[in-house]
Amino acid sequence: MTTRAEALPITVRGVTKTYGRVHALDDVSLDVKSGEFLTLLGPSGSGKTTLLMVLAGFTRPDRGSLRFGEDEMIRTAPHLRGVGMVFQNYALFPHMTVAGNVGYPLRLRGVPKAEQAERIERALELVQLGGYGARGIEQLSGGQKQRVALARSIVFEPRILLMDEPLSALDKKLRDRMQIELRHLHEQLGMTTVYVTHDQREALTMSDRIAVVNHGRIMQLATPQQLYDRPENKFVADFIGDSTFLAVTRDGQGVRYGGARLQMDGAVPAGDDLLLMIRPERVRLLDGEAPEGTNVLDATVTELVYQGESYLLYARLEDGTEIAVRGAIREGTFAKLPRAGSAVKLGLHRADTVVIADGSS
Ligand code: ADP
Ligand code: MG
């Protein structure tokens, strides 16, 4: 494991899997680049685990093809796919030691005894558990168990690593740290990685690209920044981050909200049901003149909430829509913010003025 594993691209084409009337996967196509960290993000029941199980070979799809590099994999048994797998519940063998667990894939592959010990220790060092080999599984904390599961998944230097909500059983502090550690491990080892989570912040933190999944379909595949700044549909805009949606009408190449034509940098998508997507932290409370390139919305404050590092302000627009505004608090600034009942002018810069098509969710 001193050298980087030979990574492989993954090609998924037209994969469908039904359980009775449920379309767990509905004609999914996906390209994972060689060495990429790609996350499947979606709500519970959207088909993430099913897709991962198709990649691992534990689930045979009804239709479709799967290639690792040039090789068709659909008929290949799981243990012959060269895939490392980490499950949510760790799936460790409780009666074996740490070393026994980590060495399991090596014994399965008939790796010589002497080499096994060395590779087990190296894998344990990679997950910060050097010297833990002789311990029993039940002596470990949740975070340590997850590291053992991770060591076991990489000990045979798989070309592809699959992880299904591996951090969801850990508390938030440990989860935050493990996200960064997993990311570093991926940079060190360089294997093509498909990671599953329902946690949007985790996905944004870790991924090169994210595939947002809903009802067995991929709603958008893009980098974290593209997904957050330029979601292609309401489902993605809603699932990632907070947003307010305002109905807008097409006006030539642009759009109108209320009486005003909005200044915007991006293009207006096709279709008639158009929504202006507004992220709370992109809205400015204006005092005085609006700066160049800023759209102005008149509103009345309905609620001001203190949240420690930031405030959350709710305001009602003239059409009755409630909009959320978030901003940083520095010492003394909270007391100066407008209270419920105050009339305010909200500024949205043209770069943050994003129009999406409704109806695609
Ligand atoms: P996720 O991992 O995103 O929560 P899953 O892939 O586990 O979603 O499930 C997708 C859909 O397929 C769900 O509606 C689920 O109930 C259904 N499903 C998954 N596995 C089975 C199975 N073995 N038998 C019946 N239905 C299943
Ligand atoms: Mg799942």
Side-chain angles (χ1 to χ4, degrees):
M1 235 168 291
T2 44
T3 55
R4 288 165 73 88
E6 178 211 358
L8 276 181
I10 301 172
T11 311
V12 179
R13 286 293 175 272
V15 164
T16 294
K17 178 71 187 176
T18 51
Y19 293 105
R21 293 211 316 273
V22 176
H23 277 71
L25 295 174
D26 187 2
D27 195 21
V28 170
S29 295
L30 173 68
D31 288 283
V32 188
K33 297 175 197 165
S34 174
E36 179 174 38
F37 194 116
L38 183 133
T39 296
L40 305 175
L41 171 68
S44 173
S46 57
K48 307 181 296 295
T49 294
T50 305
L51 182 51
L52 211 64
M53 288 299 155
V54 167
L55 300 182
F58 298 114
T59 296
R60 173 82 67 92
D62 307 333
R63 273 197 302 284
S65 83
L66 167 68
R67 274 180 286 131
F68 293 170
E70 297 300 312
D71 301 329
E72 178 60 49
M73 284 288 143
I74 285 289
R75 283 167 209 291
T76 306
H79 68 285
L80 298 176
R81 291 190 181 193
V83 162
M85 177 98 201
V86 184
F87 301 91
Q88 176 176 352
N89 57 5
Y90 316 137
L92 297 173
F93 305 111
H95 56 282
M96 286 186 202
T97 61
V98 167
N101 270 278
V102 175
Y104 182 76
L106 301 178
R107 294 198 293 283
L108 210 62
R109 288 167 174 78
V111 172
K113 263 249 154 61
E115 195 186 326
Q116 280 185 30
E118 194 182 315
R119 287 173 70 171
I120 291 167
E121 191 50 33
R122 248 186 302 163
L124 284 173
E125 273 162 24
L126 272 171
V127 299
Q128 331 279 340
L129 282 182
Y132 276 66
R135 304 249 183 133
I137 292 298
E138 294 312 324
Q139 293 168 255
L140 304 178
S141 69
Q144 289 170 330
K145 284 180 189 167
Q146 190 50 272
R147 286 168 204 265
V148 173
L150 188 60
R152 183 178 61 182
S153 75
I154 59 176
V155 72
F156 63 98
E157 298 179 30
R159 302 170 303 174
I160 291 169
L161 182 59
L162 307 176
M163 293 188 263
D164 194 355
E165 313 229 10
L167 307 182
S168 60
L170 307 180
D171 66 47
K172 185 177 179 317
K173 278 221 166 94
L174 188 54
R175 205 162 62 227
D176 289 350
R177 216 177 63 217
M178 283 296 289
Q179 287 169 5
I180 308 287
E181 274 186 34
L182 278 179
R183 191 57 234 193
H184 286 317
L185 194 65
H186 174 258
E187 279 155 19
Q188 256 177 294
L189 300 178
M191 58 200 46
T192 308
T193 300
V194 181
Y195 187 94
V196 164
T197 183
H198 64 269
D199 179 338
Q200 45 123 348
R201 189 167 298 279
E202 185 164 297
L204 293 174
T205 301
M206 301 183 73
S207 320
D208 293 321
R209 288 191 305 162
I210 300 170
V212 181
V213 185
N214 192 35
H215 295 313
R217 283 177 296 151
I218 293 179
M219 305 301 292
Q220 189 173 352
L221 170 61
T223 65
Q225 257 188 27
Q226 285 166 343
L227 279 182
Y228 191 84
D229 291 341
R230 300 278 152 187
E232 281 171 2
N233 51 67
K234 194 179 176 199
F235 180 81
V236 172
D238 228 0
F239 196 73
I240 298 183
D242 298 322
S243 20
T244 303
F245 298 100
L246 305 180
V248 293
T249 49
R250 186 182 298 280
D251 179 15
Q253 306 280 44
V255 297
R256 282 183 174 280
Y257 173 70
R261 196 167 199 280
L262 298 178
Q263 313 175 61
M264 56 188 290
D265 289 345
V268 178
D272 290 326
D273 295 325
L274 299 175
L275 296 172
L276 171 62
M277 177 200 77
I278 305 179
R279 302 289 195 193
E281 78 283 3
R282 303 284 168 92
V283 183
R284 295 274 162 278
L285 277 171
L286 302 176
D287 57 19
E289 278 305 291
E292 183 78 11
T294 302
N295 297 299
V296 180
L297 306 171
D298 289 305
T300 306
V301 177
T302 53
E303 187 100 40
L304 175 65
V305 184
Y306 178 79
Q307 294 191 327
E309 85 291 356
S310 60
Y311 67 84
L312 193 55
L313 180 146
Y314 294 99
R316 197 174 306 287
L317 298 169
E318 284 170 341
D319 69 358
T321 315
E322 190 154 84
I323 185 170
V325 181
R326 183 186 291 286
I329 297 177
R330 287 175 307 279
E331 182 154 357
T333 58
F334 186 73
K336 301 195 182 89
L337 290 169
R339 306 286 139 155
S342 311
V344 285
K345 286 191 183 302
L346 305 177
L348 188 65
H349 192 267
R350 55 182 301 149
D352 297 319
T353 302
V354 178
V355 173
I356 62 172
D358 192 8
S360 36
S361 63

